[in-house]
C-alpha cells in the first residue's frame, strides 16, 4: 500500500498548499505557468486497500514547447545531488539503450487490427474521421481500481493506456536496484510497496494486456520540482538513464525480486509515456524517447480540442491533454481528474475536510458534463477532434472523479462512431492516413468548446452545447 502525501502547485506564480493525508494514497501535484490556475498530478497506489482522500498554456491552436517549471511536492525522503535549475539543457549525450526497438512509427498498418480489436482504416475522399476518446491512467498500481476498470470493460468496449512507474517493479526490499538521476540509490518520491504487491501488480498488468489495453511509461522515481533534480532539471542523458532503468526494471522484474511470476510486457510494446508532474523540456526529453523507440508523448498540454501533430523532427507524436472549459463555469481546465479536484475543492486539497457526499456527487456530475461537452464540441466542429482524458487510480472527493470517468465510459463507449481506445490505436490510425488528409484535420482551428476565440481563456459568453 502507499502512504499519504502532500500537494503543491503553481500557475504563473507559486502557490504552496499544506500537507494532505488521504488514506493510503500518494499524491504529487504538477504545475504550469500561465494566467489560469490549472493543476495536474500523478498518483501511485498499490495494494488492495482503498485510499481516500498546469501546465503551460499556449495561444489557441498551438501546443506548448515544454513543461513549465512550476512546483510539485511529495512526502518521500529528500536526497541530494544534481542541479535544481529549471532551464532547458541541451545535451549531445545519447547513450544507446539495449533491447529496445528502432523508432520507425511502427505499429499496425492500414487494414490491420489492434490487440483490442480496433481496425486501422484509411479515410476515403470526403469521409469523416472517426471519433476517438483516449482514456489513460497514471498510477496504475492499485488492485481495487484495476478490478473496477476490468468491470467497466465487461460492460462496454473500453480500452485504455496505463502509464506504469518502473518502481512498481521493485519493493522496499529491492529498491537499491534503482538510482534516479542525481539521487541516492533506492530513493524515490513515491513510496515503495511491499514484496507481496509485485505479483498482484504483474497479474493485473498481464490481464490488462490480454484484454487489449496498452502499457506506457511513467518513468520511475517520480522526481519533480520539490525533490530536485527532477524532470525540469534533467537533460537528455538523465532521461536516457530513466528510460534505460525503466525498460530494465520491466524486463527483469522476476529475477530482481526473486519471484517466478512473469510480466508479459516487451519493450516493443511500449510506445509512449507521460512524464512525472508533466515536467521536462522537449529538447531534452524527445531525443531520449527516440533513442528508446518511443513514438508519442502525453506530457505537454494543448489549448482546446485539436488533432495531434508531430514534433519538429517528425518523430514524436505530441498527444497532450486539452485545456477545455469546465462545464457551466467558463474556466478552462486540463482534462485530468486532479485538475478538476483542485478547481472544484481547493479547500480539501489544501488540507480541509472532505466534501459532503452531496457535494461530491455534484462535482462528479459537473466533470461528467464537461466530458460530454467535449464530445458535443468535437461533433459540432465537423472534424471529430480526439478527446484525450487523463486520470489516476484514485478515490478523491468520495470517488467523484472515478465515478465521472466511469459513467462517461459507460454512457459513450460503444455508441456508433465513438472509439474508446488507448493512445496506440490513435497513433496507428494517424500514421495510416494520407499526409494531405491528416494535415487538413490538423490545420483546423483549435476548438475552444464554445469559448470566444479572441477572449480565451476568459470564457464569458460561453456557448452551452
Amino acid at each position: 500500500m502507499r502512504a499519504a502525501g502532500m500537494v503543491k502547485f503553481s500557475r504563473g506564480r507559486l502557490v504552496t498548499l499544506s500537507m494532505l493525508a488521504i488514506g493510503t494514497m500518494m499524491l504529487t501535484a504538477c504545475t504550469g505557468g500561465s494566467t489560469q490556475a490549472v493543476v495536474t498530478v500523478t498518483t501511485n497506489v498499490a495494494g488492495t486497500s482503498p485510499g481516500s482522500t498546469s501546465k503551460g498554456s499556449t495561444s489557441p491552436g498551438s501546443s506548448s514547447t515544454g513543461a513549465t517549471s512550476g512546483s510539485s511536492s511529495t512526502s518521500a525522503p529528500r536526497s541530494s545531488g544534481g542541479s535544481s535549475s529549471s532551464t532547458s539543457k541541451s545535451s549531445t549525450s545519447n547513450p544507446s539503450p539495449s533491447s529496445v526497438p528502432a523508432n520507425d512509427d511502427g505499429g499496425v498498418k492500414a487494414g490491420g487490427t489492434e490487440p483490442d480489436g480496433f481496425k486501422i482504416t484509411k479515410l476515403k475522399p470526403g469521409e469523416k474521421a472517426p471519433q476517438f476518446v483516449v482514456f489513460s491512467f497514471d498510477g496504475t498500481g492499485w488492485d481495487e481500481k484495476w478490478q473496477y476498470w476490468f468491470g467497466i470493460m465487461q460492460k462496454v468496449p473500453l480500452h485504455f493506456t496505463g502509464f506504469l512507474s518502473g518502481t512498481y517493479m521493485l519493493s522496499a526490499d529491492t529498491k537499491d536496484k534503482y538510482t534516479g538521476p542525481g539521487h541516492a540509490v533506492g530513493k524515490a518520491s513515491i513510496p515503495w510497496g511491499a514484496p507481496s504487491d509485485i505479483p498482484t501488480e504483474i497479474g493485473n498488468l498481464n490481464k490488462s494486456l490480454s484484454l487489449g489495453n496498452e502499457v506506457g511509461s511513467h518513468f520511475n522515481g517520480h522526481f519533480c520540482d520539490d525533490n530536485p533534480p527532477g524532470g525540469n532539471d534533467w537533460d537528455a542523458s538523465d532521461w536516457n538513464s530513466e528510460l534505460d532503468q525503466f525498460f530494465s526494471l520491466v524486463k527483469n522484474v522476476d529475477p530482481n525480486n526473486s519471484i517466478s511470476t512473469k510480466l508479459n510486457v516487451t519493450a516493443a510494446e511500449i510506445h509512449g509515456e507521460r512524464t512525472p508532474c508533466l515536467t521536462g523540456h522537449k529538447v531534452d526529453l524527445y531525443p531520449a524517447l527516440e533513442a528508446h523507440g518511443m513514438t508519442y508523448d502525453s506530457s505537454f498540454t494543448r489549448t482546446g480540442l485539436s488533432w495531434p501533430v508531430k514534433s519538429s523532427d517528425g518523430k514524436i507524436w505530441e498527444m497532450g491533454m486539452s485545456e477545455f472549459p469546465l462545464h457551466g463555469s467558463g474556466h478552462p481546465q486540463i482534462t485530468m481528474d486532479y485538475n478538476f479536484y483542485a478547481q472544484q475543492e481547493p479547500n480539501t486539497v489544501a488540507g480541509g475536510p472532505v466534501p459532503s457526499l452531496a457535494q461530491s456527487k455534484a462535482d462528479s456530475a459537473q466533470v461528467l458534463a464537461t466530458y460530454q461537452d467535449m464530445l458535443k464540441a468535437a461533433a459540432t466542429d465537423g472534424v471529430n477532434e480526439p478527446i484525450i482524458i487523463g486520470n489516476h487510480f484514485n478515490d478523491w472527493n468520495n470517488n467523484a472523479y472515478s465515478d465521472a470517468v466511469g459513467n462517461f465510459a459507460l454512457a459513450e463507449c460503444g455508441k456508433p462512431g465513438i472509439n474508446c481506445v488507448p493512445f496506440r490505436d490513435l497513433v496507428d490510425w494517424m500514421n495510416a492516413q494520407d499526409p494531405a488528409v491528416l494535415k487538413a484535420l490538423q490545420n483546423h482551428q483549435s476548438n475552444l468548446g464554445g469559448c470566444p476565440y479572441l477572449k480565451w481563456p476568459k470564457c464569458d459568453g460561453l456557448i452551452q452545447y
Side-chain angles (χ1 to χ4, degrees):
M1 296 187 295
R2 301 296 178 184
M6 66 180 183
V7 294
K8 185 191 293 181
F9 68 96
S10 69
R11 182 122 176 126
R13 66 183 186 278
L14 182 65
V15 181
T16 303
L17 301 183
S18 62
M19 288 285 291
L20 175 58
I22 308 177
T24 61
M25 300 189 73
M26 174 65 191
L27 314 183
T28 41
C30 302
T31 62
S34 184
T35 57
Q36 297 292 319
V38 185
V39 185
T40 72
V41 303
T42 300
T43 141
N44 294 270
V45 194
T48 56
S49 298
S52 67
T53 357
S54 164
K55 207 32 208 139
S57 174
T58 60
S59 60
S62 67
S63 61
S64 59
T65 58
T68 53
S69 56
S71 171
S72 60
S73 293
T74 174
S75 60
R78 303 276 180 165
S79 58
S80 60
S83 167
S84 60
S85 170
S86 62
T87 58
S88 176
K89 300 184 294 179
S90 60
S91 172
T92 57
S93 176
N94 192 25
S96 298
S98 59
S99 303
V100 297
N103 183 310
D104 61 358
D105 269 339
V108 176
K109 309 301 181 184
T113 303
E114 299 285 354
D116 56 3
F118 179 75
K119 296 184 182 301
I120 302 297
T121 57
K122 202 169 185 175
L123 286 180
K124 299 175 183 177
E127 189 176 10
K128 195 172 183 179
Q131 180 64 65
F132 292 96
V133 182
V134 178
F135 290 79
S136 60
F137 298 91
D138 300 350
T140 51
W142 189 4
D143 180 63
E144 180 179 311
K145 291 301 180 182
W146 273 119
Q147 305 316 313
Y148 172 80
W149 286 106
F150 289 152
I152 296 287
M153 292 179 68
Q154 291 180 342
K155 299 176 182 178
V156 293
L158 163 69
H159 297 89
F160 57 83
T161 300
F163 291 116
L164 173 68
S165 293
T167 50
Y168 282 155
M169 301 293 94
L170 297 173
S171 73
D173 290 355
T174 55
K175 63 183 180 180
D176 61 349
K177 297 182 185 296
Y178 168 66
T179 304
H183 292 269
V185 174
K187 297 295 183 182
S189 288
I190 48 178
W192 297 97
S196 59
D197 291 331
I198 297 176
T200 300
E201 176 69 0
I202 292 174
N204 286 325
L205 288 167
N206 286 345
K207 180 176 180 179
S208 183
L209 283 170
S210 74
L211 294 173
N213 294 327
E214 179 189 25
V215 173
S217 175
H218 198 46
F219 299 88
N220 303 304
H222 209 278
F223 293 111
C224 301
D225 290 347
D226 72 300
N227 193 4
N232 283 328
D233 310 312
W234 288 346
D235 62 18
S237 64
D238 296 322
W239 288 113
N240 269 302
S241 173
E242 272 288 278
L243 286 172
D244 284 345
Q245 292 187 80
F246 174 83
F247 281 101
S248 177
L249 292 173
V250 167
K251 179 180 179 182
N252 299 304
V253 58
D254 44 330
N256 280 345
N257 296 279
S258 300
I259 58 176
S260 58
T261 310
K262 303 286 185 180
L263 177 61
N264 302 327
V265 180
T266 66
E269 295 173 280
I270 299 174
H271 304 290
E273 50 66 45
R274 183 176 289 145
T275 64
C277 300
L278 308 188
T279 55
H281 307 278
K282 294 179 183 179
V283 68
D284 305 310
L285 173 65
Y286 284 8
L289 301 185
E290 293 170 17
H292 286 80
M294 304 177 87
T295 57
Y296 74 82
D297 165 70
S298 186
S299 306
F300 306 103
T301 61
R302 301 176 296 149
T303 301
L305 304 179
S306 61
W307 277 88
V309 298
K310 281 189 175 182
S311 57
S312 58
D313 67 359
K315 294 183 178 180
I316 300 296
W317 283 104
E318 299 183 349
M319 312 285 286
M321 293 168 286
S322 295
E323 295 180 27
F324 191 88
L326 181 64
H327 181 79
S329 73
H331 177 82
Q333 187 65 59
I334 294 177
T335 53
M336 193 172 222
D337 45 14
Y338 197 90
N339 292 67
F340 293 124
Y341 189 20
Q343 179 64 30
Q344 292 175 319
E345 301 298 339
N347 292 335
T348 302
V349 172
V354 176
S356 67
L357 288 175
Q359 182 59 50
S360 296
K361 288 182 179 179
D363 289 341
S364 186
Q366 186 181 34
V367 172
L368 175 58
T370 302
Y371 294 150
Q372 292 168 336
D373 285 347
M374 295 170 73
L375 265 182
K376 292 173 184 176
T380 301
D381 207 26
V383 295
N384 284 350
E385 297 96 341
I387 309 301
I388 296 177
I389 300 172
N391 298 279
H392 301 81
F393 281 8
N394 73 82
D395 62 359
W396 299 322
N397 198 359
N398 294 309
N399 266 315
Y401 309 107
S402 228
D403 289 346
V405 74
N407 287 331
F408 180 61
L410 289 170
E412 304 297 339
C413 297
K415 283 186 176 180
I418 296 178
N419 302 279
C420 298
V421 298
F423 281 106
R424 171 200 63 215
D425 295 18
L426 175 56
V427 167
D428 287 347
W429 185 88
M430 291 189 296
N431 285 334
Q433 304 311 305
D434 286 331
V437 172
L438 185 59
K439 191 71 172 177
L441 294 174
Q442 295 167 327
N443 284 344
H444 196 277
Q445 190 177 58
S446 179
N447 185 320
L448 306 183
C451 180
Y453 207 86
L454 296 179
K455 293 187 177 181
W456 179 275
K458 296 181 178 179
C459 297
D460 53 324
L462 186 69
I463 300 170
Q464 298 298 321
Y465 290 98

